[in-house]
Amino acid sequence: MVSMVADEKSQPQLLSKKAACNSHGQDSSYFLGWEEYEKNPYDPVSNPGGIIQMGLAENQLSFDLLESWLEANPDALGLRRGGASVFRELALFQDYHGMPAFKNALARFMSEQRGYRVAFDPSNIVLTAGATSANEALMFCLADHGDAFLIPTPYYPGFDRDLKWRTGAEIVPVHCTSANGFRLTRAALDDAFRRAQKRRLRVKGVLITNPSNPLGTTSPRADLEMLLDFVAARGIHLVSDEIYSGTAFAAPGFVSVLEVLAARGASNAAAADLSERVHVVYSLSKDLGLPGFRVGAIYSSNAGVVSAATKMSSFGLVSSQTQHLLASLLGDKEFTRKYITENTRRIKERRDQLVEGLRGIGIECLESNAGLFCWVRMGNLMTSQSFEGEMELWKKVVFEVGLNISPGSSCHCREPGWFRVCFANMSAKTLDVALQRLADFAEANGGCKGGGAPARRRLAGGPARTMSCPVGRFSWANRLTPGSADRKAER
């Protein structure tokens, strides 16, 4: 009789090598912290002792503005135009180039986010199911299996998944340091290029996030000029992920690489050639707080890239219903102008709340002017200034304090003790609860060594939290070390 139970050892053979490989990055502490949050999510009423999600860069600060617009414009949500139903029109097949009305509105909104210093041609926009799909599509178009992209550190942990898993592309980190606020330098780029050559990798380009995730800083114009000079000299591509462009709330403000490129002019052959190798990724997930709508975009002046990426987009289209709704919303110039102003004001207010609260505990942040997070230095709470000490502190913060934050090692930072802490996905009261928990933890552990007096004031009400999830119960937490998933890109 044939056994109906499959041999566990034979299971991986049922998958392709690509599907079974471990380059997805799901074993990173960035994702594992999310898993623990999902098992025990904080709720001020039903679960006040749960884990507060501070590892999610989501903008929930301006939903009321969007909801007010929807109430005032029922036709957009009701699939109507001029009072007449457009249900049949939207329900039928739509060409994957995208609806012209939406692409025109998106192009105008992207220009508005950049102070109209950049003009976007809708024909150069490729719609994708979020920025994740946009970045992967660009890797598919620009890099063959084994080719490499240089990425400044610290960088968004999801890039290990988005850029590498299905494409086979490699990431070579460009090591930036706190000595200059983690700014990109030509020396760091040249060093990364040499390391790629030693590994016999063909470098196809550089990818940056501007504003930076996780630093919460915008790239200075001088740095963008230097970066354009570097890619021009090497004959490689530049991808600028600008999904946080509408979150800049303080000087020096946001400058798009396309603005710097346009200032060089396109009258000479060198400038024209460079413009063919500069590509921008955008999304409505952060500025409008609509990650569930899955709306991303690639912008490129390279006809070959636009053509290939458009073909790729057929695997992840933006629904016609979503395009219809957002074409109306983004087409309302008065609304978008007021939204941008108020949204950035709220982001700054919430960011200031986090920074001031942490400072009261004796914890400092990198000075930031954009983004939905802060780059926080917590080395004074660590038992040892090492990545082992960082991981030990991270486990305590997740399981004892009940805050899911992202350790710097998951972002491939070379200096232990840094953490990304998000602030825009929760209410002000919840942020106060998070700060109080951290203050209690710091005080219970003798305060922040070298970081000022421990906070003794109660920041918010709520029950004292006791450790309900002993670290020893979670085998993955004991196995996880900074030498595993979080540091793979260093090799």
Side-chain angles (χ1 to χ4, degrees):
M1 180 177 179
V2 179
S3 173
M4 299 300 291
V5 180
D7 183 354
E8 291 186 1
K9 293 183 180 179
S10 68
Q11 287 299 312
Q13 298 176 6
L14 299 176
L15 300 176
S16 68
K17 291 181 179 179
K18 187 178 291 289
C21 73
N22 64 356
S23 61
H24 181 275
Q26 196 70 32
D27 57 348
S28 164
S29 55
Y30 172 75
F31 291 108
L32 292 173
W34 277 42
E35 290 179 12
E36 294 311 312
Y37 161 77
E38 289 168 357
K39 295 174 187 176
N40 184 29
Y42 169 82
D43 184 273
V45 177
S46 62
N47 190 25
I51 295 175
I52 296 175
Q53 174 63 290
M54 305 186 82
L56 176 62
E58 193 169 74
N59 182 8
Q60 299 183 22
L61 302 181
S62 299
F63 275 158
D64 61 310
L65 304 180
L66 299 172
E67 290 166 341
S68 294
W69 185 91
L70 290 172
E71 290 178 4
N73 296 270
D75 272 11
L77 197 58
L79 306 185
R80 304 181 74 82
R81 185 188 302 123
S85 173
V86 292
F87 170 75
R88 292 190 180 187
E89 175 187 334
L90 299 177
L92 297 176
F93 173 78
Q94 297 287 339
D95 185 272
Y96 50 68
H97 288 81
M99 297 171 61
F102 174 60
K103 292 181 74 173
N104 290 335
L106 180 62
R108 189 202 65 80
F109 182 69
M110 291 169 67
S111 182
E112 184 179 24
Q113 293 283 44
R114 292 155 180 80
Y116 295 102
R117 296 181 297 273
V118 178
F120 289 89
D121 182 349
S123 65
N124 290 343
I125 292 177
V126 180
L127 299 180
T128 63
T132 294
S133 294
N135 280 311
E136 185 189 49
L138 276 174
M139 289 303 106
F140 179 89
C141 294
L142 303 178
D144 289 315
H145 191 282
D147 288 345
F149 263 72
L150 311 182
I151 304 184
T153 64
Y155 65 76
Y156 166 55
F159 282 153
D160 294 323
R161 168 201 64 194
D162 302 351
L163 308 184
K164 296 169 54 178
W165 188 41
R166 297 199 299 183
T167 67
E170 295 289 338
I171 293 175
V172 176
V174 181
H175 297 306
C176 303
T177 72
S178 61
N180 67 345
F182 294 98
R183 283 182 62 176
L184 183 63
T185 66
R186 180 62 184 259
L189 284 166
D190 288 335
D191 174 69
F193 197 93
R194 285 192 296 268
R195 285 188 284 111
Q197 289 182 316
K198 288 182 179 179
R199 294 171 56 185
R200 298 187 178 181
L201 296 172
R202 182 171 61 161
V203 176
K204 296 302 296 289
V206 180
L207 186 149
I208 63 169
T209 57
N210 179 30
S212 169
N213 177 7
L215 298 179
T217 57
T218 54
S219 297
R221 181 181 291 269
D223 293 6
L224 295 174
E225 291 277 11
M226 176 273 295
L227 186 54
L228 287 173
D229 289 342
F230 175 81
V231 298
R234 297 290 187 179
I236 58 179
H237 295 271
L238 172 62
V239 176
S240 181
D241 187 330
E242 300 183 356
I243 66 171
Y244 292 98
S245 57
T247 68
F249 53 77
F254 169 73
V255 178
S256 172
V257 68
L258 295 180
E259 180 182 343
V260 179
L261 186 63
R264 296 190 171 202
S267 58
N268 60 75
D273 177 65
L274 182 57
S275 68
E276 293 273 301
R277 290 184 280 109
V278 176
H279 323 279
V280 166
V281 168
Y282 186 62
S283 166
L284 297 180
S285 296
K286 309 303 180 181
D287 294 347
L288 281 184
L290 300 176
F293 278 38
R294 307 310 305 150
V295 179
I298 296 168
Y299 188 83
S300 177
S301 297
N302 187 313
V305 169
V306 171
S307 176
T310 300
K311 296 172 187 175
M312 282 288 293
S313 72
S314 64
F315 298 107
L317 299 174
V318 181
S319 75
S320 299
Q321 179 181 358
T322 298
Q323 292 187 57
H324 168 75
L325 168 60
L326 294 178
S328 298
L329 188 148
L330 297 181
D332 188 334
K333 297 180 182 179
E334 182 179 0
F335 169 76
T336 57
R337 177 180 57 80
K338 292 180 179 178
Y339 177 91
I340 291 170
T341 300
E342 177 62 14
N343 183 57
T344 52
R345 185 196 69 79
R346 294 182 184 186
I347 291 173
K348 182 181 185 303
E349 181 179 66
R350 191 59 53 81
R351 175 262 188 190
D352 290 348
Q353 180 186 353
L354 174 63
V355 171
E356 291 168 9
L358 290 174
R359 186 174 294 127
I361 305 171
I363 297 173
E364 293 298 323
C365 304
L366 181 73
E367 186 174 353
S368 62
N369 68 327
L372 308 175
F373 33 71
C374 286
W375 191 235
V376 181
R377 188 156 206 170
M378 300 175 65
N380 46 12
L381 286 174
M382 289 159 46
T383 57
S384 66
Q385 299 304 307
S386 64
F387 286 109
E388 288 74 18
E390 176 182 286
M391 198 56 56
E392 178 187 8
L393 176 60
W394 174 73
K395 294 175 188 176
K396 289 180 179 179
V397 172
V398 173
F399 297 118
E400 297 183 34
V401 185
L403 308 177
N404 177 37
I405 62 177
S406 303
S409 54
S410 70
C411 303
H412 303 285
C413 181
R414 294 190 86 185
E415 302 175 18
W418 292 94
F419 293 80
R420 190 189 76 163
V421 180
C422 301
F423 55 76
N425 62 323
M426 65 190 74
S427 69
K429 289 183 178 179
T430 298
L431 181 54
D432 270 344
V433 173
L435 288 167
Q436 183 60 54
R437 288 184 182 183
L438 197 56
D440 291 344
F441 173 76
E443 187 167 6
N445 286 271
C448 293
K449 305 176 184 65
R456 297 186 183 280
R457 62 188 179 91
R458 181 152 294 279
L459 297 166
R465 188 176 192 278
T466 58
M467 180 175 173
S468 58
C469 304
V471 174
R473 287 181 51 197
F474 298 87
S475 58
W476 66 260
N478 293 323
R479 291 198 312 269
L480 191 60
T481 69
S484 61
D486 297 328
R487 307 289 288 175
K488 283 178 182 175
E490 300 295 338
R491 298 197 291 269

